[in-house]
Amino acid sequence: QVQLVESGGGLVQPGGSLRLSCAASGSIFSINVMGWYRQAPGKQRELVARITRNGTTNYADSVKGRCTISRDNAKRTVYLQIDSPKPEDTAVYYCNFLIQYRWKESIYWGQGTQVTVSS
């Protein structure tokens, strides 16, 4: 079994900064893709950013230049740095890992962490 544990959410003022973390544990051979999604009230879950095992990154247009995704393979952890957050960044943020164990790839989700941007 695999568990993803998120941390770092909370209340942040516009123009501040916040860093989210998500660590995996369990039966893992490799973590091929790590990503962050978010879901605001009344909206669909959307991709924020993702990073492959070799470091290739993709960002949603709405966060380019304000968010940075990074990973520590030894710690099985992904980070999302949010700089100069805006009220529209308020959402529940979920980490998402594509994990390989033996011959099988599976997708796992974190439990979600609330980020609220407000003054």
Side-chain angles (χ1 to χ4, degrees):
Q1 293 294 330
V2 172
Q3 279 193 318
L4 303 186
V5 179
E6 302 176 15
S7 60
L11 176 65
V12 60
Q13 292 187 343
S17 64
L18 194 68
R19 191 174 83 153
L20 307 180
S21 302
C22 178
S25 62
S27 301
I28 297 170
F29 176 73
S30 67
I31 305 175
N32 295 332
V33 182
M34 297 177 171
W36 288 96
Y37 288 71
R38 67 186 181 187
Q39 187 167 17
K43 295 189 176 181
Q44 289 189 333
R45 191 173 296 188
E46 63 176 2
L47 174 70
V48 178
R50 62 185 171 196
I51 182 168
T52 65
R53 190 169 53 177
N54 65 5
T56 300
T57 58
N58 297 98
Y59 294 91
D61 288 341
S62 59
V63 304
K64 281 181 181 177
R66 300 188 298 110
C67 289
T68 303
I69 189 169
S70 60
R71 62 189 284 170
D72 185 327
N73 290 329
K75 294 182 178 179
R76 295 175 172 176
T77 299
V78 66
Y79 306 95
L80 183 70
Q81 178 74 30
I82 307 174
D83 296 318
S84 299
K86 303 176 181 180
E88 51 264 41
D89 292 324
T90 295
V92 178
Y93 284 70
Y94 299 89
C95 59
N96 171 282
F97 285 15
L98 179 62
I99 292 174
Q100 183 172 351
Y101 181 65
R102 296 181 179 175
W103 63 90
K104 184 179 177 183
E105 275 187 331
S106 301
I107 294 174
Y108 295 88
W109 290 91
Q111 79 280 8
T113 185
Q114 177 70 46
V115 172
T116 301
V117 183
S118 175
S119 55

